[in-house]
Amino acid sequence: VAHDLLPLCDVLTPNQFECELLSGIPIRAREDAIRAMGVLHDKGPDIVLLSSCSYHHDPKRLEALVSCKENGIQRTYAALFPKIEGHSFTGTGDVTAAVFLAWLWRMPRDPCSALEYALSTIQMIVRETADRGGGELRLIQCGPRIPKPRITVDAVRVARPKTAIRGLIFDMDGTLTKPGQLDFRKIREQLGLDPTQDIVQSLRSLPQQQQTSAESVVEALEVEAMASAELMDGCAEVLQALRSEGYKLGISTRSCLKAVEEFLRVAGLPDTTFDTIVTRNYKAVKPQPEVALDICSGWGLSPEEVRGVAVALILYNEHDWTRP
């Protein structure tokens, strides 16, 4: 289901168990719920309604959340409401989802209000049902009030919890090495390019036979440059420390694979230092977002858990990260 249907979904309305199952994240607190909905956003739907959550630290209340992702930004609204003890109710999740979708259709830019209307409606129905002994929801008896419920539940916007960084994608030239190790002017001269022409795009535009010949020229220059490259101070030590801490590490570079291998040799690093190496031979090249997104997907991490490192090497000092 997650693989085939979620990419086609605009609005998803799981309960707590379904959200945990689809996201792979156990929900024990609000922060878990927000992260789980973020994972579901990455799988397809722009709006996720988590119809109810039960937390051990707050046994007398339930919480519903709606999360929207637009232009890469996740906004989440939450509302707490009391449990009604002593009764068992059937179909509350289905009614909540149906009423929420109806109100969302009327106010597509205001999911917070749609959540308030949906929860106020289901609370009214549940209380009516409890007064009549529980069991099946008293939808018919509540019918006249469902279109215009009195708002009894307030929703508020909640902050997305800070996500732990679990992966880092490095540029190579000028980040792991000191700037200027690759002589791009010389490469362009060898290829007969103007100073403003993009090297990678120019290579890809050549006929196959010419492209192979030109690739060989560029590859030789890149490998030669890496063979005598000056590394950033502490480069190898930082990468080894990150590796020992369990971080996923990647390289995204417009150079060739042999140049990366030469860099590893010069740095005295094993071939296993980086989990993923993406070079210019990949279907996309940096700075296209597809490169970083594909790396994240391959690692099983959300983009929020991964950072790109370019221009200057970050310093590693007892779990504190600063830029020089």
Side-chain angles (χ1 to χ4, degrees), residues 63-177:
E63 184 171 61
L65 302 98
V66 62
S67 179
C68 314
K69 191 167 187 179
E70 186 175 9
N71 298 323
I73 299 174
Q74 181 180 354
R75 293 178 293 112
T76 305
Y77 303 90
L80 289 165
F81 53 95
K83 285 184 180 178
I84 297 179
E85 305 290 350
H87 296 280
S88 176
F89 304 101
T90 303
T92 54
D94 293 334
V95 173
T96 301
V99 176
F100 172 78
L101 289 172
W103 282 104
L104 186 66
W105 180 78
R106 294 182 65 178
M107 45 180 65
R109 305 297 299 176
D110 192 0
C112 181
S113 294
L115 178 64
E116 291 178 336
Y117 276 112
L119 294 179
S120 298
T121 299
I122 192 64
Q123 282 290 290
M124 177 261 294
I125 294 172
V126 165
R127 291 184 184 281
E128 177 77 17
T129 303
D131 291 344
R132 295 172 179 266
E136 292 291 333
L137 297 178
R138 305 298 197 221
L139 296 177
I140 294 176
Q141 291 83 349
C142 296
R145 288 173 284 167
I146 289 177
K148 296 181 179 180
R150 182 171 63 88
I151 298 298
T152 58
V153 179
D154 295 322
V156 296
R157 184 170 180 178
V158 293
R160 178 176 172 82
K162 292 184 178 179
T163 303
I165 298 173
R166 299 170 60 191
L168 295 164
I169 304 171
F170 288 86
D171 188 12
M172 187 171 67
D173 182 56
T175 299
L176 298 174
T177 72

Side-chain angles (χ1 to χ4, degrees), residues 166 295-302 305:
R166 299 170 60 191
I295 293 175
C296 293
S297 177
W299 289 347
L301 301 178
S302 70
E305 297 174 291

Side-chain angles (χ1 to χ4, degrees), residues 8 14 43 46 65 70 139 172 209 304:
L8 307 176
K43 295 178 183 291
D46 295 324
L65 302 98
E70 186 175 9
L139 296 177
M172 187 171 67
Q209 187 172 358
E304 289 82 2

